[in-house]
Amino acid sequence: MDVLYSFIGVNKKLDRLARDITFTQSINLVTTLSNEHNNSILDRFCLLILQRIQHNIECLTLNSLSVDRVLRTGNYSRLHKLSLVNLPIEMACRIFNDESSLVYIISHQITHLIVTINMDNIAEDILEMFKNVFTNIFRMFRNLIDFNYSWYSDLSYSAKAFIDLPFRPFYASNISCLNVRLNDLNDCICLLNGHLSQLHTFIVEIDWIRKTSVALNNKEIVPNLKCFSLISFRQTIEYDAKIVPLLRHMSKLEKLTLSLIVDRRNSFIDGNHLVNDILSKMLDLHTFIFNIITDRVIIEEEFLPTSDYILRPLIEKGYNAECYTDYSPMNNSQCHIYSLPFTFERMHMLTNKGGDPKTMNFSTI
């Protein structure tokens, strides 16, 4: 956008260059318009530039400062990818709830959508609005293929900000890639039980993995799923009862990512379990990324397995992995097994050797 802003209107040669489709297929106004003092830049862009390039634009990235003005100004006949970044929840509700809104007018042509919400309040009515935006997007964007929905907040992490889905079909069945944060496993199963029949990639962060009231439909689970990522930062005792059966329904997976903290299991989650009970059922799997902690396992110190025993089945299958175990006199043993290179944004470091459990955060590059 800075290139366009500096070239257009300087001379005819630069003017033609700036309108070239190479420069105008993808427009990102977020980095340029970072605060309200950039109104003059936005005014000039909409008045002098946008009208000339609008029919070239295939991808738009906008924030709360630019979304209304830009969508009102142009006629984007080729637009198919829309990213709306850092929207206040009230604005998101307006944009995705009014059938006369500017977004609704172009919703039929959008196949790729990214929405990030700025959550500055976790009151119950705000959280209900967050959920409603998600469900309304599914209703509005009937041709959606790739959907990423998340939120940012300066507040302390709050589980209540996750989506709690209604138990009714409202989904756009064309979606092949979905990246979303959910409240519990009920929501995950609800999405997988046949409504998203074209789903190829499902990336989900779940707050609570606990007993579910929704049964997994053996006949209708997504048949085309090739990539599945499940991340949860809270302890669960439902790993064997819920997660393992869910994974066994995904026999056609080619890529699997798991980040879990499993509590009070009879034994460690080790290479033998992962290979024999999960990976052996996925004949097409070529990528397995994992970060799994088994906590509070009752085991005598003399029977604590060695790292070689824990890792060998994975190493023999060609996976690069590391692990550590920890023991306390209270028979509260722990095991942490993870793939290398470590690609997750955070790592929980659990230890019985003094201090509270620690979380290491990693910034993505």
Side-chain angles (χ1 to χ4, degrees):
M1 192 276 196
D2 291 332
V3 174
L4 294 174
Y5 185 81
S6 59
F7 279 7
I8 286 185
V10 176
N11 58 51
K12 291 183 178 180
K13 184 176 181 179
L14 291 179
D15 199 59
R16 286 194 301 271
L17 178 63
R19 287 199 298 268
D20 187 277
I21 194 170
T22 304
F23 293 98
T24 57
Q25 282 182 319
S26 180
I27 301 296
N28 185 338
L29 294 180
V30 173
T31 55
T32 302
L33 304 175
S34 58
N35 58 66
E36 59 186 9
H37 300 297
N38 294 126
N39 284 336
S40 60
I41 297 177
L42 180 61
D43 289 342
R44 186 170 186 267
F45 177 77
C46 292
L47 182 64
L48 301 178
I49 301 176
L50 197 54
Q51 293 291 338
R52 305 184 189 188
I53 66 171
Q54 57 185 331
H55 296 297
N56 293 340
I57 298 175
E58 298 180 6
C59 173
L60 265 177
T61 301
L62 308 171
N63 60 10
S64 59
L65 299 175
S66 58
V67 57
D68 285 333
R69 180 74 182 276
V70 171
L71 292 182
R72 187 181 299 112
T73 301
N75 178 15
Y76 308 103
S77 58
R78 301 182 63 181
L79 181 67
H80 63 87
K81 182 175 182 179
L82 180 63
S83 299
L84 303 181
V85 179
N86 203 26
L87 298 181
I89 185 62
E90 295 82 3
M91 175 178 281
C93 282
R94 172 175 58 81
I95 289 174
F96 296 112
N97 194 41
D98 186 355
E99 292 191 358
S100 64
S101 71
L102 298 169
V103 171
Y104 182 83
I105 294 171
I106 61 172
S107 61
H108 68 283
Q109 66 191 66
I110 301 299
T111 58
H112 293 66
L113 179 65
I114 297 174
V115 178
T116 60
I117 307 295
N118 182 6
M119 299 281 286
D120 58 1
N121 192 319
I122 56 173
E124 289 298 326
D125 59 332
I126 298 296
L127 303 179
E128 185 68 17
M129 292 164 67
F130 182 74
K131 179 183 69 175
N132 290 339
V133 169
F134 179 79
T135 56
N136 287 340
I137 286 173
F138 271 93
R139 294 189 183 99
M140 290 174 64
F141 293 81
R142 295 297 182 179
N143 296 314
L144 204 57
I145 294 175
D146 191 318
F147 180 32
N148 187 324
Y149 186 61
S150 60
W151 58 276
Y152 293 114
S153 177
D154 293 330
L155 302 169
S156 298
Y157 172 81
S158 171
K160 294 182 179 179
F162 284 64
I163 301 168
D164 187 10
L165 298 178
F167 294 109
R168 61 179 184 272
F170 59 90
Y171 315 114
S173 60
N174 291 328
I175 288 183
S176 62
C177 181
L178 179 62
N179 186 334
V180 68
R181 305 173 74 168
L182 301 174
N183 178 56
D184 61 25
L185 197 60
N186 275 334
D187 297 340
C188 181
I189 295 175
C190 186
L191 286 168
L192 288 172
N193 265 345
H195 301 301
L196 298 175
S197 59
Q198 301 303 313
L199 195 62
H200 178 280
T201 299
F202 188 24
I203 301 170
V204 58
E205 183 175 325
I206 299 179
D207 184 38
W208 295 102
I209 299 177
R210 49 195 172 188
K211 288 185 178 180
T212 60
S213 58
V214 180
L216 193 62
N217 191 325
N218 292 340
K219 296 181 179 179
E220 296 185 0
I221 193 165
V222 180
N224 298 311
L225 195 64
K226 302 296 183 183
C227 175
F228 180 59
S229 173
L230 173 61
I231 295 175
S232 182
F233 298 114
R234 290 183 180 270
Q235 292 177 326
T236 178
I237 61 173
E238 296 296 326
Y239 172 79
D240 290 283
K242 301 300 179 182
I243 300 302
V244 173
L246 177 65
L247 294 175
R248 286 176 176 170
H249 280 80
M250 301 178 179
S251 59
K252 297 181 180 179
L253 283 187
E254 297 176 2
K255 181 178 180 180
L256 173 63
T257 301
L258 294 176
S259 182
L260 302 167
I261 303 175
V262 180
D263 191 31
R264 288 180 288 180
R265 195 171 184 266
N266 291 330
S267 60
F268 292 149
I269 295 175
D270 59 11
N272 286 290
H273 163 72
L274 292 173
V275 169
N276 295 329
D277 296 336
I278 296 178
L279 303 185
S280 64
K281 317 299 181 184
M282 302 174 180
L283 301 182
D284 298 325
L285 193 73
H286 57 72
T287 303
F288 180 39
I289 302 170
F290 54 95
N291 174 40
I292 303 173
I293 291 173
T294 323
D295 192 21
R296 293 197 287 183
V297 175
I298 298 177
I299 186 173
E300 296 291 342
E301 185 174 15
E302 60 186 291
F303 298 115
L304 206 64
T306 65
S307 295
D308 180 73
Y309 177 85
I310 293 171
L311 295 174
R312 181 172 293 278
L314 289 166
I315 302 299
E316 291 176 349
K317 293 284 289 185
Y319 295 103
N320 191 12
E322 188 55 85
C323 75
Y324 64 85
T325 58
D326 198 17
Y327 173 81
S328 79
M330 301 299 294
N331 292 328
N332 185 15
S333 299
Q334 303 161 338
C335 176
H336 186 184
I337 185 170
Y338 50 93
S339 56
L340 295 175
F342 192 85
T343 58
F344 296 92
E345 293 185 4
R346 68 173 79 171
M347 174 187 281
H348 289 271
M349 304 293 291
L350 297 181
T351 178
N352 290 309
K353 298 174 181 177
D356 296 324
K358 297 176 175 60
T359 299
M360 297 174 61
N361 292 305
F362 303 92
S363 58
T364 54
I365 299 176

